[in-house]
Amino acid sequence: MATRGSRSEKVKRIFQQFDNNRDGGLSRDEMAALVVAVNPRVKFSDEQINAILDEVFRTYGEFIDGEKGLTYDGLLRTYDDGAGDVDRDFDALGLELNPDEAKGGSIVSEASSSIADEGVAESHRKQRTAAWAVSPHHDIVFDDTWKLIDELEILLKRLKSKQAKEGKLKIDNFDAYSDAGWSRELGPSAELSEKRVYWEESGPDYAIFVKELGALRSRADGARSREEAFDGQMAIGRVLYEHQLFKEALVSFKRSCELQPTDVRPHFRAGNCLYVLGKCNEAKDEFLLALESAEAGGNQWGYLLPQIYVNLGIALEGEGMVLSACEAAAKALEEAIFIKPDYADAHCDLASALHAVGEDERAIEVFQKAIDLKPGHVDALYNLAHKAVSLLGAGETEEAKKALKEALKRRIGSKPSKFKTVGEKTTLRQDLGNAIQIRAFQRITRLSRCDVDLLKKEMNETDVPVSYSGGGAPLKSIRKPNLEEVLRRLLRSLKPETFQGSVKAINERILSVLDETGSGRVDLGMFMLFLPPFFMEKRIPRWCRTVNFLPCLMIQMGFGIMSTLLKLETGDRNRHGRQVCSVCRYPVIGSRFKEVKSHFSLCNQCYSEGKVPPSFKQDEYKFKEYGSEAEAMKDKCMCFTLQSHKAP
């Protein structure tokens, strides 16, 4: 961290680096070059650069000198307000201070130096404190907090030196966050380097550091006012976070939450620490508290809402809550659009997020808005359905909606077939295809692991408000993110990444069907009726086999689906000797389907897909199903017997 003397010198060097024409101001072009240079890993679009510059030139209008642009005092004020990190930017540019600059500038006589330095420092501190006090982005406010930070930096340097000397300090690539970029307030990565630092926490050096850190925290708590104690704890937490001591930073942020429970910042930063530590659920709770405080604070914290929603979404995704994460992303983008309504890319991303949570009607409208804002960006906005995009561009909205719905839902139709069956026991191709899809869906979603008693409990106890659709009986509809919470309880044994895949499949195959209007809500009762077929047959509970359930299931899947599912389950280990499928050439497992005229055999999968060997071209194919080779031999013997009886 820069000392008070060197801070202004670093800003001056940065200013001089980009004031190319030496007119004493940074024009929009020069300021854009600065933004790009201090964020080498970030690929800014022209719209993003313009948005940043608009914000800077609007917020710091008093420091804009006509066409010259932002003055040095203006750039210093942006850093004082926390819009950037002086040390990080200075290092990113590869700049260095000479010894005189590092000490704070010009040298005065020994007799007057202490008085002069104290007076100048006091003046600078008052200026900075006044600026921070009225700024929504303020960081350190009180002078005594600077003393705490200076001492903390010394402790950290001592600890780092000892652990590095003993080979205990480990540094790896760190990709928990992407670079937050210049001018991002409260961004979680602005203070983090590209490398992850792992401190050795078990040795005596670390124990001494923690003890001395505790003394600093006690001094912060002993400040003259609650506000100063809060300022001290937040600053300590920021520095610890910067040095990737996330557990210790969390302690300070938690204490800050106790000192000022309604302040957004400590909850937000505590959430960031918890996420990096892998505690996604606790991080989610802190981000929700930050969100609650921001919304209650009115305009004071409104500018932070997009970032809070983004990090909340990241934490939810870490838990596997993909629908809730998409909803948070949509909220973040809505807030971003509120701040900058003409940002086409944000409209595009919002439309994608709305589609992910099933709000297709709104998604289409937002895609249309994005195209209206930037007609030349059509392919980038939406390349899933070119036909729909073209229709939108031509103003044919209704036709575009139909095309978009077809593309978004990605329906897979059944393949026509000339397959016929011989005998009542042979499974229909379509029934087998449905059963195989159910099994594949079952494996992806892990619904077979669902506790059936817990399912019954959720059906009976989940409190869902009644809603009225204009032309029918009242329904108990539930928002998809809330339904995702129910699913999380039902599939509580799954790891977050596994649960995420499960929810994506359920959303695509079931929720999109139940939510045909794209409202983002589904009938909870109907959803629950969809679940039992995806349990293992032996585990489907008796209460599911009611007169209310069976008709729904039969209409949905066909009358033969239950017996076909059972046949698949029981035939998994059935092998047919050396028999192989005539199409895929794999050994036949389960049922073998023999074509009675050409005598070729198919496995379950190829039969369900209507595949035949290319050498057999017939107008019609008749198949007989054998569950085992014993059945095939028995049938063969019966044929020989019949033939012998018919012989003269």
Side-chain angles (χ1 to χ4, degrees):
M1 177 176 290
T3 64
R4 290 184 288 278
S6 64
R7 179 182 177 84
S8 60
E9 292 299 329
K10 287 188 174 183
V11 176
K12 184 180 294 184
R13 288 291 300 278
I14 293 173
F15 182 88
Q16 293 171 347
Q17 178 85 358
F18 292 92
D19 183 15
N20 297 325
N21 56 8
R22 299 293 185 266
D23 63 352
L26 296 180
S27 66
R28 288 182 69 92
D29 289 341
E30 291 169 337
M31 196 67 191
L34 167 59
V35 173
V36 172
V38 298
N39 293 281
R41 295 191 299 123
V42 180
K43 302 298 182 184
F44 291 105
S45 67
D46 291 341
E47 288 190 352
Q48 289 173 322
I49 289 290
N50 288 329
I52 292 172
L53 297 182
D54 289 345
E55 180 68 20
V56 171
F57 278 67
R58 180 170 56 250
T59 303
Y60 300 97
E62 61 185 297
F63 297 100
I64 303 300
D65 185 6
E67 294 183 357
K68 294 180 180 179
L70 186 70
T71 63
Y72 160 74
D73 290 334
L75 184 63
L76 180 61
R77 177 64 64 85
T78 66
Y79 281 113
D80 284 345
D81 286 353
D85 186 308
V86 177
D87 296 322
R88 186 183 74 86
D89 290 356
F90 194 81
D91 292 340
L93 295 171
L95 301 176
E96 294 182 359
L97 293 178
N98 61 45
D100 290 343
E101 290 174 325
K103 291 178 181 177
S106 58
I107 301 175
V108 296
S109 65
E110 184 177 350
S112 63
S113 63
S114 62
I115 297 175
D117 287 349
E118 184 177 350
V120 172
E122 180 65 22
S123 174
H124 286 178
R125 283 197 295 269
K126 287 182 178 179
Q127 290 176 12
R128 278 200 302 273
T129 301
W132 287 336
V134 299
S135 169
H137 317 309
H138 66 275
D139 287 320
I140 296 176
V141 177
F142 295 90
D143 291 336
D144 285 348
T145 300
W146 283 108
K147 297 176 183 177
L148 292 173
I149 297 311
D150 288 341
E151 292 183 37
L152 178 56
E153 287 287 350
I154 293 172
L155 295 179
L156 286 163
K157 288 179 181 178
R158 184 190 307 161
L159 176 64
K160 187 174 184 179
S161 176
K162 288 183 177 180
Q163 292 204 352
K165 186 177 181 180
E166 297 173 4
K168 296 179 179 179
L169 200 64
K170 294 172 60 179
I171 301 177
D172 294 328
N173 289 330
F174 183 60
D175 58 357
Y177 296 103
S178 59
D179 198 312
W182 194 88
S183 86
R184 295 278 185 91
E185 297 83 4
L186 289 186
S189 65
E191 307 92 351
L192 295 180
S193 68
E194 297 178 14
K195 303 290 186 180
R196 176 68 189 267
V197 179
Y198 294 92
W199 299 84
E200 173 58 55
E201 301 179 3
S202 59
D205 294 334
Y206 192 84
I208 293 172
F209 167 76
V210 171
K211 182 178 180 180
E212 293 173 329
L213 175 60
L216 289 180
R217 288 196 181 110
S218 297
R219 282 172 53 189
D221 279 342
R224 289 163 292 186
S225 66
R226 199 175 186 88
E227 290 75 15
E228 186 171 349
F230 173 83
D231 190 56
Q233 291 289 357
M234 282 295 293
I236 290 172
R238 286 287 301 273
V239 174
L240 291 169
Y241 187 93
E242 176 183 351
H243 286 81
Q244 301 186 32
L245 286 159
F246 301 116
K247 292 181 182 178
E248 300 301 334
L250 181 61
V251 173
S252 293
F253 292 139
K254 285 286 192 180
R255 176 58 182 150
S256 300
C257 292
E258 294 172 358
L259 291 167
Q260 293 193 13
T262 60
D263 196 296
V264 173
R265 294 163 298 169
H267 291 297
F268 183 88
R269 294 197 176 280
N272 291 339
C273 287
L274 289 164
Y275 176 78
V276 175
L277 292 170
K279 300 180 179 180
C280 294
N281 186 54
E282 295 177 48
K284 176 196 69 177
D285 293 339
E286 289 295 340
F287 290 135
L288 288 173
L289 289 171
L291 186 61
E292 182 180 336
S293 298
E295 291 176 339
N299 295 331
Q300 180 185 7
W301 304 111
Y303 72 101
L304 292 176
L305 285 174
Q307 186 64 53
I308 296 172
Y309 275 119
V310 166
N311 286 25
L312 173 61
I314 293 171
L316 288 166
E317 187 177 17
E319 280 194 290
M321 305 291 283
V322 62
L323 297 181
S324 300
C326 289
E327 184 180 51
K331 292 286 187 182
L333 291 160
E334 285 172 349
E335 294 292 340
I337 289 171
F338 178 77
I339 295 172
K340 187 172 175 57
D342 59 346
Y343 192 10
D345 286 348
H347 283 83
C348 172
D349 293 339
L350 174 58
S352 298
L354 289 170
H355 162 54
V357 295
E359 297 187 33
D360 291 344
E361 294 288 341
R362 283 190 62 202
I364 293 170
E365 294 174 4
V366 178
F367 273 126
Q368 175 68 68
K369 179 64 176 177
I371 294 172
D372 291 343
L373 289 170
K374 194 173 182 181
H377 196 25
V378 173
D379 288 338
L381 288 175
Y382 198 60
N383 54 24
L384 178 61
H386 294 290
K387 173 186 174 183
V389 172
S390 301
L391 288 167
L392 283 172
E396 299 180 26
T397 308
E398 291 304 317
E399 290 299 319
K401 287 182 179 180
K402 293 179 182 178
L404 270 174
K405 284 183 178 180
E406 290 174 4
L408 291 174
K409 292 180 180 178
R410 298 179 182 179
R411 303 290 190 202
I412 301 175
S414 61
K415 187 156 96 175
S417 171
K418 300 176 181 179
F419 283 25
K420 306 296 180 182
T421 60
V422 175
E424 296 180 355
K425 293 183 179 181
T426 301
T427 305
L428 294 173
R429 184 198 64 80
Q430 188 174 2
D431 284 350
L432 182 59
N434 288 336
I436 288 176
Q437 286 190 23
I438 289 173
R439 289 194 70 193
F441 182 76
Q442 181 190 75
R443 288 168 179 166
I444 293 172
T445 61
R446 269 64 169 192
L447 284 172
S448 60
R449 300 186 186 183
C450 182
D451 186 327
V452 292
D453 294 326
L454 190 57
L455 174 60
K456 183 177 180 181
K457 182 181 178 182
E458 290 290 345
M459 290 184 69
N460 293 332
E461 298 180 7
T462 301
D463 186 18
V464 179
V466 175
S467 61
Y468 294 85
S469 59
L475 301 173
K476 283 194 171 185
S477 64
I478 185 172
R479 293 172 56 252
K480 287 185 180 182
N482 295 130
L483 179 58
E484 185 178 41
E485 295 175 6
V486 175
L487 284 170
R488 195 68 183 105
R489 293 193 292 269
L490 291 173
L491 299 170
R492 54 193 174 189
S493 64
L494 298 186
K495 293 181 179 179
E497 58 271 19
T498 307
F499 178 72
Q500 187 178 115
S502 175
V503 170
K504 287 180 179 178
I506 291 172
N507 184 47
E508 180 181 346
R509 296 296 182 89
I510 297 181
L511 301 187
S512 62
V513 175
L514 294 178
D515 182 26
E516 289 187 336
T517 62
S519 66
R521 305 181 70 90
V522 296
D523 185 318
L524 180 61
M526 286 297 295
F527 173 75
M528 291 299 187
L529 286 177
F530 266 80
L531 293 186
F534 304 112
F535 288 57
M536 289 182 64
E537 171 68 17
K538 291 174 286 187
R539 297 180 58 201
I540 296 178
R542 290 181 180 177
W543 53 267
C544 287
R545 304 175 186 274
T546 65
V547 291
N548 293 325
F549 167 70
L550 286 176
C552 173
L553 180 60
M554 290 175 179
I555 292 171
Q556 174 191 340
M557 296 290 183
F559 285 88
I561 195 66
M562 298 299 285
S563 61
T564 307
L565 280 169
L566 179 58
K567 189 182 293 185
L568 279 176
E569 293 292 340
T570 57
D572 270 347
R573 297 184 180 180
N574 291 352
R575 297 182 180 273
H576 296 260
R578 297 182 179 180
Q579 295 286 347
V580 297
C581 176
S582 299
V583 174
C584 67
R585 310 306 298 174
Y586 282 103
V588 176
I589 300 175
S591 292
R592 177 164 71 95
F593 294 87
K594 182 179 179 182
E595 209 285 319
V596 297
K597 180 180 179 181
S598 300
H599 304 294
F600 63 82
S601 296
L602 299 179
C603 64
N604 281 332
Q605 189 69 41
C606 291
Y607 175 75
S608 70
E609 295 174 1
K611 295 180 178 179
V612 296
S615 56
F616 295 97
K617 300 294 183 182
Q618 299 174 194
D619 294 334
E620 184 178 81
Y621 301 92
K622 294 184 178 180
F623 288 92
K624 189 164 186 179
E625 180 179 0
Y626 297 109
S628 66
E629 279 308 292
E631 290 182 13
M633 289 299 296
K634 183 179 179 180
D635 188 55
K636 190 174 182 180
C637 291
M638 288 181 64
C639 289
F640 280 133
T641 302
L642 289 174
Q643 289 176 4
S644 63
H645 287 167
K646 291 180 180 179

